[in-house]
């Protein structure tokens, strides 16, 4: 049994398939696809560094973001949950430059059966993912685009926020286009709405990193 550490899941994941088939370290540049919908679900991924966007692509060509994964997240596990080999359901893209560990799904499955700690850690990680996905769905339910934007910023604040002297800084470089794609809007609209929030001194932006000066007040006013 591995002792609980600051990054316990990473420590446990690194031991999956040690020996002949250790986990593989993979690097992806920002914007690169990790897997497409319909790809064979052959490996499970653990996010060491960076952020990964999961989205669902619909027949009309619309792509909706369902989660933004932070470090220490596991993804690509649908086959483990269903007990059946299946194709990928989501489009996984490197939202920033990322570093991943990946292991064959068969080895992860064996490790889950033999290591109860890994099973519990995976369950906790997936529970957090499900919560964020539910919040993303609620965000997209807003008809008012201003409320949709603020809800999205609050989700990022919760998952990627770093306390600073000015408030909570989202530790991601966010382009207006990336935000627009995540909330189903346009770059022009997002630029205008962010400008309004800056004018009202609700946020500030420095080198594409957004700081929320008072997330509680922002939530009460716009969501």
């Amino acid at each position: 049994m591995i002792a609980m550490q600051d990054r316990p899941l990473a420590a446990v994941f690194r031991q999956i398939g040690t020996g002949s088939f250790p986990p593989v370290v993979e690097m992806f540049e920002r914007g690169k696809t990790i897997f497409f919908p319909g790809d064979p679900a052959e490996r499970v991924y653990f996010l060491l560094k960076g952020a990964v966007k999961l989205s669902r692509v619909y027949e009309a060509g619309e792509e909706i973001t369902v989660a933004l994964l932070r470090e220490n997240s596991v993804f690509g596990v649908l086959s483990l949950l269903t007990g059946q080999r299946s194709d990928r359901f989501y489009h996984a893209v490197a939202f920033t430059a990322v570093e991943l560990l990946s292991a064959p799904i068969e080895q992860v499955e064996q490790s889950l059966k033999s290591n109860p700690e890994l099973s519990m850690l995976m369950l906790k990680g997936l529970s957090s993912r499900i919560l964020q996905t539910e919040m993303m769905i609620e965000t997209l339910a807003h008809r008012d685009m201003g409320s949709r934007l603020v809800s999205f910023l609050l989700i990022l604040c919760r998952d990627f926020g770093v306390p600073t002297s000015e408030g909570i800084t989202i530790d991601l470089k966010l382009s207006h286009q990336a935000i627009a794609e995540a909330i189903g809007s346009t770059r022009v609209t997002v630029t205008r709405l962010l400008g309004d929030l800056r004018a009202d001194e609700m946020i500030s932006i420095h080198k594409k990193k957004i700081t929320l000066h008072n997330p509680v007040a922002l939530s009460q006013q716009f969501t």
Side-chain angles (χ1 to χ4, degrees), residues 106-136:
E106 294 83 5
Q107 292 182 8
V108 177
E109 194 170 31
Q110 292 175 5
S111 297
L112 288 172
K113 292 177 180 178
S114 62
N115 190 337
E117 182 189 21
L118 176 60
S119 299
M120 288 304 299
L121 289 171
M122 291 269 284
L123 182 60
K124 290 179 181 179
L126 290 173
S127 297
S128 178
R129 237 282 303 288
I130 291 170
L131 175 60
Q132 194 200 65
T133 297
E134 290 178 346
M135 294 172 68
M136 286 296 299

Side-chain angles (χ1 to χ4, degrees), residues 35 52-56 64-67 69 75 90-92 129:
F35 55 75
V52 168
K53 181 178 76 170
L54 296 183
S55 58
R56 185 81 175 98
I64 300 297
T65 299
V66 297
L69 308 180
F75 63 103
Y90 295 120
H91 184 199
R129 237 282 303 288

